[in-house]
Amino acid sequence: MYAVLKEAPTTKDIASMHLTHLSHLLEVSSHGHFKKDTATELRILAQKSVGCNDSSISTQITQTIELIELLDSQVHDVESEMELIVNSLASIIMTIPGIGFINGGMILGEIGDIMRFSSPSKVLAFAGLDPTVYQSGNFNASHTKMSKRGSCPLRYALINAAHNVVKNNKTFKDYYDQKISEGKSHYNALGHCAGKLVRIIYKMLTDNVSFNLD
């Protein structure tokens, strides 16, 4: 739709566009997902629309799309540079199934030298993933509140990585399912998986061993 709106930012522009050109524009920009029937429907909707045709709004639309495309390009450049850096590090944590260069790079960048931490729990605390457990007598809360302190980028990367590892490793999937069966919410269960992942990452980095849960 960016491609269409850049060329035809108003309903009047879309309604007056030649159907063949609109069909080609949609098909090329959507990689074949949208074809002539979609173009026909879109043009009919535009012809019936009472949408605003203010030229100032058209300018805002095209400029906003150009800004989005610029930011997308910059994100792509940063991610490409991250991939080069992570690959050059050849870190052992990249053997964990489901950890890509973005989450892996964020984890390595935020942790730094693993020897700064005397235990996995210190890494969890640094990430703000240590749960605050409320206890009353013999009662243990089934849902724990996640701390908001610590490194936001590390916490974000660990939760994302845990989500991917759950999808790629049976041990983590079983652990996630166990927590869900105990009444934990999706994100609470992911928090537990992230804790398990941190313990594994700590062991891997301190002992320089590849991922292996056998």
Side-chain angles (χ1 to χ4, degrees):
M1 295 314 300
Y2 287 163
V4 174
L5 289 173
K6 281 174 67 178
E7 189 168 329
T10 68
T11 53
K12 182 179 178 181
D13 293 330
I14 295 174
S16 61
M17 186 180 292
H18 195 283
L19 183 58
T20 302
H21 178 61
L22 180 58
S23 300
H24 178 72
L25 185 62
L26 280 173
E27 186 169 359
V28 171
S29 58
S30 69
H31 303 289
H33 183 71
F34 297 123
K35 299 185 183 296
K36 186 177 181 179
D37 56 341
T38 304
T40 302
E41 184 180 358
L42 180 61
R43 202 172 70 156
I44 291 173
L45 287 171
Q47 290 169 346
K48 294 180 178 179
S49 174
V50 293
C52 178
N53 287 304
D54 190 329
S55 61
S56 64
I57 295 178
S58 300
T59 301
Q60 291 179 40
I61 290 172
T62 53
Q63 289 181 344
T64 300
I65 292 172
E66 289 171 0
L67 179 58
I68 291 170
E69 290 177 336
L70 173 62
L71 293 173
D72 283 342
S73 174
Q74 291 175 338
V75 168
H76 174 74
D77 290 343
V78 170
E79 289 181 348
S80 297
E81 185 65 21
M82 283 182 66
E83 185 172 12
L84 289 173
I85 293 171
V86 171
N87 286 338
S88 70
L89 293 173
S91 173
I92 206 75
I93 77 165
M94 301 308 293
T95 62
I96 300 174
I99 289 192
F101 68 88
I102 294 179
N103 287 325
M106 292 173 69
I107 291 169
L108 291 171
E110 288 297 305
I111 290 178
D113 183 0
I114 193 62
M115 301 313 294
R116 297 192 301 140
F117 304 94
S118 59
S119 67
S121 61
K122 296 293 179 63
V123 180
L124 278 171
F126 177 66
L129 281 172
D130 52 321
T132 303
V133 180
Y134 292 92
Q135 294 184 325
S136 176
N138 294 323
F139 171 76
N140 289 302
S142 62
H143 295 277
T144 55
K145 181 183 291 185
M146 191 173 291
S147 169
K148 292 185 179 179
R149 65 181 183 274
S151 167
C152 290
L154 180 56
R155 183 163 61 248
Y156 172 86
L158 286 170
I159 291 293
N160 273 333
H163 179 70
N164 291 332
V165 175
V166 165
K167 293 189 294 185
N168 286 276
N169 181 263
K170 185 179 184 303
T171 300
F172 270 87
K173 178 63 166 61
D174 291 344
Y175 186 63
Y176 171 85
D177 290 342
Q178 175 191 330
K179 294 303 175 183
I180 292 295
S181 69
E182 293 172 0
K184 312 292 187 188
S185 69
H186 168 66
Y187 284 106
N188 190 286
L190 279 185
H192 283 277
C193 291
K196 182 180 182 70
L197 182 61
V198 165
R199 292 189 291 274
I200 290 172
I201 288 174
Y202 187 86
K203 174 70 173 177
M204 291 172 67
L205 291 177
T206 53
D207 292 355
N208 194 32
V209 293
S210 298
F211 179 82
N212 187 353
L213 295 181
D214 296 332

